[in-house]
Amino acid sequence: MTAAAPRLYVDSADVDRVTSLLTAGVVHGVTTNPTILERGGRTAAEIPDLYARWSAEGAREIFFQTWGGDTASFLRNAETIRALGDRVAVKVPATRDGFAAASALVADGATVLVTAVYSVAQALVCSSIGVQYIAPYLGRMRDAGIDGDVVIARMQEVCAGSGTDVLAASLRSPDDITGLRLAGVPYFTAAPDVIEQMLFHEVSDGSAVEFDAAMVRLGA
């Protein structure tokens, strides 16, 4: 079976930094949650404008999280999110009511990500429901004393071939991303700082300066 091609997403509501990465074409889309929106100084009323802006700037998928705490509320608020457009994906928390909402949304044709997945068993439930993505939080797992690298790799293994894939989150360095990719994880979302660190190596920058200097000497 051919492995899924890797994708990078930017996890932020800082519109200027998101715009920079989208217009550079280095990320597939944008992920948010209520905490990220709050940290970015955004309100719920601004969600339609964020969706419109990021779509225009080239985001192929844009994730917003439903809310309410119970299945009926999750589904009601998910309809508001889905109405934004065909590039939207609905995030649902990995709770008992969240799983029920996710199952109903998948059955209705929505693109669904179950977020804050912390166990392989939860990942297996997501796979059985048929959600497209699960989001385990690597950094938070480590903070809690969990070997997140091993657990997330096992999540991808139990989901393999089902149409459900890991979209790893809480990634604090480029090494977090490359390590999980080597373990078979296909999709990653990270803060702008981490994505920008992936684009830089001092030797690469030094080589670019040398190339430009050589072209000047060649009369370009």
Side-chain angles (χ1 to χ4, degrees), residues 97-114:
D97 283 280
F99 285 123
S103 180
L105 288 166
V106 168
D108 198 41
T111 299
V112 176
L113 177 150
V114 174

Side-chain angles (χ1 to χ4, degrees), residues 25-160:
V26 297
V27 294
H28 185 83
V30 186
T31 62
T32 70
N33 62 37
T35 302
I36 287 169
L37 291 171
E38 184 177 39
R39 190 182 304 137
R42 304 295 159 184
T43 66
E46 293 177 87
I47 287 175
D49 291 338
L50 291 172
Y51 177 85
R53 174 171 176 162
W54 292 336
S55 294
E57 292 169 348
R60 283 165 279 182
E61 285 184 300
I62 303 168
F63 293 75
F64 294 106
Q65 186 164 324
T66 190
W67 67 97
D70 59 78
T71 301
S73 297
F74 286 145
L75 290 173
R76 182 175 62 254
N77 293 318
E79 288 309 304
T80 300
I81 294 170
R82 294 177 69 189
L84 294 170
D86 60 8
R87 300 186 191 186
V88 80
V90 181
K91 297 177 71 172
V92 183
T95 64
R96 185 182 182 89
D97 283 280
F99 285 123
S103 180
L105 288 166
V106 168
D108 198 41
T111 299
V112 176
L113 177 150
V114 174
T115 191
V117 175
Y118 280 90
S119 74
V120 177
Q122 287 179 317
L124 185 59
V125 173
C126 293
S127 177
S128 73
I129 290 170
V131 302
Q132 288 87 341
Y133 305 106
I134 61 174
Y137 293 176
L138 177 62
R140 294 189 185 184
M141 285 182 173
R142 289 174 176 167
D143 292 343
I146 300 168
D147 190 339
D149 298 84
V150 170
V151 172
I152 292 172
R154 288 176 178 167
M155 289 179 182
Q156 184 62 36
E157 288 177 14
V158 301
C159 293

Side-chain angles (χ1 to χ4, degrees), residues 1-35:
M1 183 178 297
T2 303
R7 292 182 197 159
L8 297 174
Y9 297 79
V10 58
D11 198 31
S12 179
D14 183 329
V15 292
D16 292 333
R17 300 193 73 186
V18 169
T19 292
S20 175
L21 292 167
L22 286 173
T23 56
V26 297
V27 294
H28 185 83
V30 186
T31 62
T32 70
N33 62 37
T35 302

